[in-house]
Structures are given as C-alpha cells and as structure tokens.
C-alpha cells in the first residue's frame, strides 16, 4: 500500500521507508499447501496458531512478551478476519509498481532473516523472521536510487531487537540528522556501606558462623532501608549499595545502620553522596555512584562520611556534621570537602 501510494502520489510523499517488506508472496515464499495449512491452523487454534517467537526470536523466552502476544492476537482480529487478511496478503504483487517509484526510498532488513515453510514452522518457530532478507534486496534493486541498510538481528517486529539502530537509520534518512540517544538521568542520593575488618572476623569465626552473622547483618540493613524508603541496588561483598530520593533519609538511614550493627558486634563505614545518575537497565550508574563509593572507602570505623553536596541539601534537618579537611577521591578530579555525621556512640 505504501509503495503504491508513493508511486501514484509522489507530490504528496516526502519519502518511502520499507522495513521487513516483500513485493509479492508467491509460491517461492509460501506454497498453496502451506497457505491452506496456515489457514486451517488459524481457524482451529487462534490465537495460538502463530508462535510468538516467529516474529521476535530474541523474545522467545520472555514470558511477559508471550503473554502480551497472545492478548494482542486475540484482540487484533477474529479468526475469520485473520484468515481474510492472510488470503489478501498471499495475493500481493507490486513488482511492476517498484520501477515507477520516484521518491527517496529507504529499504531496511534484518541480516539473518529467512522464511519458515510449513504449518509446523508457523505454529512453532524454529526460524528467524517472517520475511527473508532476499525480498528486501529484490525491492531495493527495482526502486531507482533506493538506499539499502542491512541491520543485524533476526526479529521482524520493529520494537524487538536493536530498536535504536532501526530508528536511527529512519531518523537520519528522513531528517538528515541522527540524534544520539539521550541516557535517562535522575538525581539520587547514593549510599555505600562496608564492614570493617570483615576478613579478620570471618577467619576468627569460621565459615558457617560468619555466614550466619553476615545473613543477620544483611537482614538488619534491609530493614533499615525499608524503614527509610531506600532502594537496594546491590551488595558489594559484605557491604550494600542503595539509593534514596532524599539526602536526609539517606543520612539518617546510614546512621541507623551504623548504630544497629553494633548489637551484632560489627562495625561499618559508610559514604553518602547526591548527584545526577545515569539509569542503565533500571540500575544507577555514573560518576555520582563512584564518588559515593570512594567516600565510603575514606570513612573510619563506625563513621558516616558525606559530601558537601549532601550537607548543603539537608540544611535545616537538624542533622549535625563535623567538617573535615579537603580530601582527594581516587580517580575523581579535584578536592572534596567531606563531613562526618558522627561516630557510633556519640550523643
């Protein structure tokens, strides 16, 4: 339909973008027997007649995607409508239209695309995608001046696989500029904790006792994180990495952790910093995280050290600080003025 429109109304068409397309179906892609087998499968097994891994092999093991696919298929069409659509698609042939297209055209396809024959492949995909790469190359050769882009991957769905690469090619073709993806960034307060003399304690207690003690330590810290609305982001051996949406809660949580672990005969050090963090697959990363980790490394036994950023942000919170001398943080430029929240046992 898009190719026919571009050829018929070039004055109304700025560009034509074809992705995973074919000019005709024909027996070279699907024999009459295969078509009838698929139609029968749709009639008897809809919406389960098309295995969700067929259009998106990379998502084959994703349970949420498979559930979404079934819902999508059920709501998208009735079995009768799906049969009518497949019959219509089986009769498409725009080969004679392609040489008449005179608008800028971009043809994209997945490098590893091939087509699954037979009803079994239609229901249980052991193939890559729905349309083979050879069909895209066939179209590109017959459209004057068409640009061809080969993309890595096997997925047919445009929102599966390397989506950024696909959208980037389209954006650059249509606008002349490809924007670099902006990383998602948020302001967060980062807390790192670390057990003091953990190796010596583990050697003194033995593996089993140390493991039990460490489990109690972890449970205690998680209770404090929940109490102060912190989010655990990971553990670092015998320490914790967490984030907070407010610096005052992070400082109070750090102090509460430092005080509470003394009941277990343990001592921690902690570092807190607030900064802009990059969100990568739901995790926080970036220089702010490294700064918090370096601050924790400089803290003394039982001490909670914070950056000047944290101190400035909690003005009026009644949290007392003891300022220290400017310090250098490993791998971080410049000098940093750190403040101690206080040692365990202080009033």
């Amino acid at each position: 339909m898009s190719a026919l429109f571009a050829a018929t109304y070039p004055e109304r068409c700025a560009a034509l973008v074809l992705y995973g397309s074919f000019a005709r179906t024909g027996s070279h892609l699907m024999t009459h027997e295969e078509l009838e087998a698929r139609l029968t499968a749709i009639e008897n097994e809809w919406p389960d007649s098309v295995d969700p891994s067929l259009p998106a092999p990379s998502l084959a093991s994703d349970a949420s995607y498979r559930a979404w696919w079934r819902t999508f298929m059920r709501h998208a069409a009735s079995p009768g409508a799906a049969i009518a659509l497949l019959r219509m698609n089986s009769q498409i042939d725009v080969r004679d239209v392609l040489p008449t297209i005179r608008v800028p055209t971009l043809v994209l396809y997945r490098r590893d695309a091939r087509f699954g024959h037979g009803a079994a492949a239609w229901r249980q995909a052991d193939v890559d995608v729905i349309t083979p790469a050879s069909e895209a190359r066939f179209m590109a050769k017959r459209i004057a001046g068409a640009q061809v882009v080969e993309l890595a991957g096997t997925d047919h769905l445009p929102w599966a696989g390397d989506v950024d690469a696909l959208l980037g090619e389209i954006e650059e073709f249509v606008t002349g500029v490809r924007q670099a993806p902006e990383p998602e960034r948020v302001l967060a307060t980062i807390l790192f904790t670390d057990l003091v003399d953990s190796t010596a304690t583990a050697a003194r207690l033995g593996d089993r006792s140390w493991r039990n003690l460490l489990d109690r330590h972890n449970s205690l810290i998680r209770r404090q994180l929940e109490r102060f609305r912190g989010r655990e982001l990971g553990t670092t051996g015998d320490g914790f990495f967490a984030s907070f949406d407010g610096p005052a809660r992070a400082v109070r949580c750090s102090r509460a952790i430092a005080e509470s672990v003394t009941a277990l005969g343990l001592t921690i050090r902690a570092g807190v910093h607030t900064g802009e963090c990059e969100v990568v697959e739901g995790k926080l990363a970036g220089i702010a995280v490294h700064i918090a980790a370096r601050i924790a490394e400089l803290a003394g036994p039982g001490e909670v050290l914070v950056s000047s950023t944290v101190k400035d942000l909690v003005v009026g919170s009644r949290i007392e600080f003891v300022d220290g001398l400017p310090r250098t943080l490993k791998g971080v430029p410049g000098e940093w003025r750190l403040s101690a929240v206080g040692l365990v046992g202080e009033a």
Side-chain angles (χ1 to χ4, degrees), residues 56-74:
S58 70
L59 298 177
S61 60
D62 187 328
S64 61
Y65 160 71
R66 298 183 74 88
W68 171 87
W69 173 262
R70 192 176 194 280
T71 301
F72 164 72
M73 295 292 278
R74 187 172 67 250

Side-chain angles (χ1 to χ4, degrees), residues 42 74 90 93 99 115 136 198 205 209 224 226 290 294 310:
I42 290 175
R74 187 172 67 250
S90 71
D93 189 343
F115 196 81
S198 58
L205 295 177
S209 296
Q224 296 295 350
E226 182 178 3
H290 293 291
R294 296 294 180 255
V310 172

Side-chain angles (χ1 to χ4, degrees), residues 38-103:
R38 292 180 181 186
L39 295 174
T40 300
I42 290 175
E43 183 176 11
N44 296 333
E45 303 171 27
W46 189 262
D48 300 315
S49 53
V50 181
D51 190 283
S53 60
L54 179 63
S58 70
L59 298 177
S61 60
D62 187 328
S64 61
Y65 160 71
R66 298 183 74 88
W68 171 87
W69 173 262
R70 192 176 194 280
T71 301
F72 164 72
M73 295 292 278
R74 187 172 67 250
H75 290 296
S78 65
I83 288 172
L85 180 62
L86 182 56
R87 283 196 183 279
M88 181 186 71
N89 285 344
S90 71
Q91 298 168 12
I92 287 177
D93 189 343
V94 294
R95 286 175 295 171
D96 293 340
V97 172
L98 301 180
T100 69
I101 294 174
R102 290 294 183 269
V103 301

